[in-house]
Amino acid sequence: MRCPFCAHEDSQVKDSRSSEDGAAIRRRRQCEGCGARFTTFERVQLRDLTVVKKDGKREAFDRRKLERSIALACRKRDIAPERIERLVSGIQRQLETQGDDVGVERIGEAVMAGLKGLDHVAYIRFASVYKDFTEPQDFAEIVESVEGAVVDPGRGRLL
């Protein structure tokens, strides 16, 4: 593993442990060149996914892009980072089992289904961008669909 600090080719593994419910291995490494320590993660990758955009363009699946979009929807919500990581890993595994090419619609729907079960506010935030809301009525419709699912009777708002 190349050192991110000095680009030396060799590093020594100091500690390994399972993370993300066993979906990844976290390794603590030390560079043999400069002595700096850094962390790497190893994940099982079933296949190389290609994302097919709405305009037909194709690009390699980028897990970090998925993580960023979900994290943005969950911003300032009381959601443990581990739960977000599990959601991202679950979506990636689901997509990998469905074939090499995956449409953006399938990714968006998987994220919406996961967020709906995780946090309703994050779900509405993601839906507003994914479904390209342009009118207040668009928000009202999505809130009504969520509101029918779970409402706090004491406060009259979503849980």
Side-chain angles (χ1 to χ4, degrees), residues 31 93 100 123:
C31 175
R93 277 192 303 274
D100 292 335
Y123 168 75

Side-chain angles (χ1 to χ4, degrees), residues 25-54:
I25 302 290
R26 177 185 180 272
R27 297 196 193 281
R28 193 74 181 134
R29 298 175 177 269
Q30 183 170 4
C31 175
E32 293 180 1
C34 68
R37 290 187 176 223
F38 57 98
T39 302
T40 60
F41 289 89
E42 294 178 22
R43 287 184 181 82
V44 172
Q45 183 174 338
L46 298 176
R47 60 182 65 187
D48 289 331
L49 292 175
T50 301
V51 177
V52 181
K53 301 286 193 163
K54 289 180 183 177

Side-chain angles (χ1 to χ4, degrees), residues 56-98:
K57 290 183 183 175
R58 303 165 78 77
E59 67 179 46
F61 175 79
D62 185 355
R63 179 187 170 92
R64 290 176 307 223
K65 196 172 181 181
L66 180 62
E67 288 171 341
R68 281 191 307 268
S69 64
I70 292 174
L72 185 61
C74 295
R75 189 169 160 226
K76 294 189 180 183
R77 302 293 300 154
D78 189 24
I79 302 171
E82 297 82 29
R83 293 185 71 194
I84 294 172
E85 187 62 35
R86 275 196 305 271
L87 175 60
V88 171
S89 293
I91 291 169
Q92 184 177 5
R93 277 192 303 274
Q94 176 187 356
L95 296 172
E96 286 175 340
T97 61
Q98 295 176 355

